[in-house]
Amino acid sequence: MYHSSILVSLIIALIFTGIFALSMHRDRSRYRNVVFLLFAAGSVLFLIADLMGEAGGIFMLIFAAALLLLVLILPIFLMVNGITMLRREGRKLANFLSLALGIFLFLGEISLFLIGLFLFSDGNLAPSFVDSVKNAAYPALLLLTVTTLYLSVTFLAFVFFCIFLQFIPIKRDFDYVIIHGAGIRKDGTVTKLLAERCDKAIAVYRRDPTPPYLIPSGGQGRDEVCSEAEAMKKYLLQNGIPAEKILVEDRSATTRENIENSRDLILKRPGRKYTALVTSNYHVYRAMRYAKQSGLKAVGIGAHVAFYYWPSAIIREFIAVHREKKHLIYYLIGYLLVLLPFLIVLLER
């Protein structure tokens, strides 16, 4: 019986891991990979638990507790990070994202606590008050709890997948490397964020056996003295990249335009088109999605980002991906499927 259980777990783990590996091989930019990664990781965990025998139950219990703890501390971490963002980056709307999400998730955890209190309360203390609160607040608290848990789990799954992308080995010998623009300083020099992207592209260039063309991509904003592409070109030249190896794309204003305009520039040139997209590590997944949609075959390479900046940035990426019509529909369908059993319980009450 013990060995048959391990065999079943092994087969399931191989199936889900194989599906994930095949999906990643075909297209790393597909959103389904986020879901496949969850199933693959879950099946491997159950296999490990089976292999551990009697200790497997304790292992799964510890893992479940750790996961629950991660979900519980997530809002606190986000709120602290949000305050840090506001102090370091200023009171821009985008810098409130981490704090706002943390507060929302924290309210969800309070509602979960209150539901537990209602469910396990024997009503000995002020039973009429407890019952009245239950009847009035229970549906709203349940809705808030389910919503925050769904948001927490899906957000963490998205985060883990974006991190996972950074550890996938990539081939070298690129023909072109697109460097995605970001804001520049008032004097026309690159910011630290943009310098990190340029440094990563320079590292790719120097490791490549046949140095590729670097394409700094980014237009000029209203408050900028030059285009982002021009600022990046100056930085690249200062760091030893030959001018003939730099192709400037200075008309784009968005990530999608970065890719589309750079693609048009690449397609006009002869020879191979093996391309890398260099951007901040939190931004790799969305850049790869846009490249796929634009018909540009490319791999993503992530540049380092300050730790305090990463949570707000990944929240923006999560929102941007789920604003796409197809993914928004899938996300809402998943939410309704999770919510349905709880709605049935409420109707029965």
Side-chain angles (χ1 to χ4, degrees):
M1 185 67 180
Y2 171 70
H3 293 293
S4 62
S5 175
I6 292 178
L7 181 60
V8 171
S9 296
L10 177 61
I11 292 173
I12 293 174
L14 288 174
I15 290 173
F16 282 124
T17 303
I19 291 173
F20 172 65
L22 180 61
S23 180
M24 286 291 290
H25 176 71
R26 288 182 173 178
D27 187 357
R28 297 178 184 179
S29 68
R30 295 297 295 270
Y31 189 79
R32 66 190 180 197
N33 294 328
V34 178
V35 179
F36 290 157
L37 176 60
L38 279 181
F39 279 103
S43 63
V44 170
L45 280 173
F46 279 107
L47 174 61
I48 293 173
D50 274 345
L51 290 172
M52 294 178 67
E54 295 181 358
I58 299 175
F59 169 76
M60 291 302 294
L61 185 63
I62 293 174
F63 179 81
L67 185 60
L68 179 60
L69 180 62
L70 180 62
V71 172
L72 291 176
I73 65 174
L74 179 61
I76 298 174
F77 169 76
L78 288 174
M79 287 189 288
V80 172
N81 175 257
I83 295 172
T84 303
M85 276 292 295
L86 293 173
R87 287 177 176 173
R88 294 194 179 190
E89 301 292 328
R91 297 183 179 181
K92 298 178 182 178
L93 180 61
N95 296 337
F96 281 92
L97 286 175
S98 184
L99 179 61
L101 180 59
I103 291 173
F104 180 74
L105 295 181
F106 184 68
L107 292 175
E109 291 185 0
I110 292 176
S111 68
L112 177 62
F113 171 78
L114 291 175
I115 287 175
L117 188 65
F118 291 158
L119 291 176
F120 294 103
S121 172
D122 57 11
N124 291 332
L125 295 176
S128 60
F129 172 76
V130 173
D131 289 339
S132 63
V133 172
K134 281 184 180 181
N135 294 330
Y138 190 81
L141 291 174
L142 186 61
L143 178 63
L144 180 58
T145 299
V146 174
T147 302
T148 52
L149 286 175
Y150 180 74
L151 180 59
S152 296
V153 172
T154 53
F155 176 67
L156 286 173
F158 181 81
V159 168
F160 289 147
F161 182 72
C162 289
I163 294 173
F164 177 81
L165 284 176
Q166 306 305 310
F167 294 96
I168 300 177
I170 58 171
K171 297 179 181 178
R172 297 184 182 180
D173 198 18
F174 296 108
D175 302 297
Y176 299 92
V177 176
I178 301 171
I179 312 171
H180 287 265
I184 60 175
R185 295 191 177 98
K186 293 181 179 180
D187 61 358
T189 58
V190 298
T191 60
K192 181 173 177 54
L193 182 72
L194 193 50
E196 293 281 6
R197 297 182 183 184
C198 291
D199 289 340
K200 176 61 74 171
I202 292 170
V204 172
Y205 176 90
R206 289 175 176 166
R207 288 197 305 263
D208 204 304
T210 56
Y213 289 95
L214 302 187
I215 306 178
S217 177
Q220 182 175 353
R222 293 181 180 180
D223 59 343
E224 294 175 337
V225 298
C226 66
S227 69
E228 295 167 2
E230 187 62 31
M232 285 189 281
K233 180 181 178 180
K234 292 177 182 177
Y235 186 88
L236 295 173
L237 291 171
Q238 291 169 359
N239 284 273
I241 304 300
E244 63 271 16
K245 281 294 186 177
I246 302 174
L247 306 175
V248 173
E249 187 290 294
D250 59 2
R251 296 182 295 111
S252 57
T254 64
T255 297
R256 192 179 293 275
E257 290 179 2
N258 283 148
I259 293 172
E260 291 176 349
N261 293 340
S262 298
R263 173 205 61 194
D264 294 342
L265 191 155
I266 291 170
L267 293 178
K268 291 177 182 178
R269 301 176 62 84
R272 291 197 328 163
K273 317 292 184 185
Y274 188 43
T275 304
L277 309 171
V278 172
T279 185
S280 299
N281 51 28
Y282 63 82
H283 193 232
V284 168
Y285 175 65
R286 185 154 61 101
M288 289 174 59
R289 290 190 53 75
Y290 291 165
K292 173 69 175 180
Q293 293 167 7
S294 301
L296 178 65
K297 188 174 182 179
V299 298
I301 301 175
H304 175 265
V305 175
F307 179 74
Y308 80 90
Y309 189 86
W310 202 84
S312 289
I314 202 70
I315 292 172
R316 293 201 302 271
E317 296 301 302
F318 182 80
I319 293 172
V321 169
H322 290 88
R323 283 179 60 188
E324 296 180 29
K325 185 177 180 180
K326 182 175 70 173
H327 291 128
L328 180 60
I329 292 173
Y330 287 157
Y331 193 77
L332 291 177
I333 290 174
Y335 173 64
L336 291 175
L337 289 175
V338 171
L339 190 61
L340 184 60
F342 298 97
L343 291 176
I344 293 173
V345 171
L346 286 177
L347 291 174
E348 289 179 348
R349 286 171 61 90

